[in-house]
Amino acid sequence: DDWHSRKPEDVWATYFDRLTQAAASGLFDTIGHPDLCKKFAIYPEGDTASMYLPFLEAVKKAGIAIEINTAGNHKDCREIYPHKNILTAAASMNIPLSFASDAHAPNEVGRDWMEAIQLAKESGFTHFCAFSQRQRTLMPIG
């Protein structure tokens, strides 16, 4: 709720700063909801690349993945997490991608899956990753 009383630029900068710290921590195999700060349809003016590129660089350096998540389609932002610009940058940096639907009920598992696959392909991804006991396996998107 505090997000509505703050400047969008501050919300986004703080969010990506925390994500960058999380990516650099070595504690995670993948980072989910890379732009959850848009959940309530709060957007800064102008280009946000200066906020998310340091995060992606930290992800790349740590050798971890980011997640594409369909839950945003059902939030105020009405958009998959993350935005195509972030996905395109991640694909160009060869950052691995995982998929999630953020299901909170059985009928939400795999919701909007084909849209997520299409967005990943349009953004330049040819593979996605799956994990078993923290071991990553790359698989073709098909």
Side-chain angles (χ1 to χ4, degrees):
D1 289 338
D2 185 47
W3 290 6
H4 292 287
S5 64
R6 297 175 60 201
K7 293 180 184 177
E9 293 77 10
D10 294 342
V11 171
W12 280 60
T14 299
Y15 187 78
F16 279 106
D17 179 64
R18 298 303 186 275
L19 278 188
T20 301
Q21 291 177 42
S25 73
L27 298 173
F28 305 98
D29 297 319
T30 187
I31 301 285
H33 299 67
D35 62 352
L36 180 69
C37 45
K38 71 181 179 190
K39 178 180 179 178
F40 301 111
I42 298 172
Y43 300 96
E45 292 184 21
D47 187 14
T48 58
S50 64
M51 296 180 200
Y52 66 75
L53 287 176
F55 159 68
L56 291 177
E57 290 167 5
V59 166
K60 177 70 175 174
K61 184 176 180 181
I64 60 177
I66 64 167
E67 170 196 81
I68 187 170
N69 188 302
T70 61
N73 278 344
H74 307 278
K75 306 299 181 192
D76 292 348
C77 62
R78 303 278 184 236
E79 181 179 271
I80 287 176
Y81 307 120
H83 186 274
K84 186 176 181 179
N85 291 349
I86 297 172
L87 289 169
T88 300
S92 73
M93 297 170 74
N94 294 313
I95 292 172
L97 182 69
S98 63
F99 285 89
S101 50
D102 198 10
H104 291 248
N107 65 324
E108 296 173 357
V109 175
R111 181 170 57 173
D112 303 329
W113 212 245
M114 295 309 296
E115 183 182 348
I117 290 170
Q118 185 63 34
L119 179 59
K121 287 179 178 180
E122 290 173 1
S123 300
F125 286 95
T126 58
H127 291 75
F128 71 99
C129 61
F131 292 89
S132 177
Q133 297 183 3
R134 299 196 75 184
Q135 297 301 308
R136 183 171 61 213
T137 302
L138 287 178
M139 301 164 62
I141 297 174

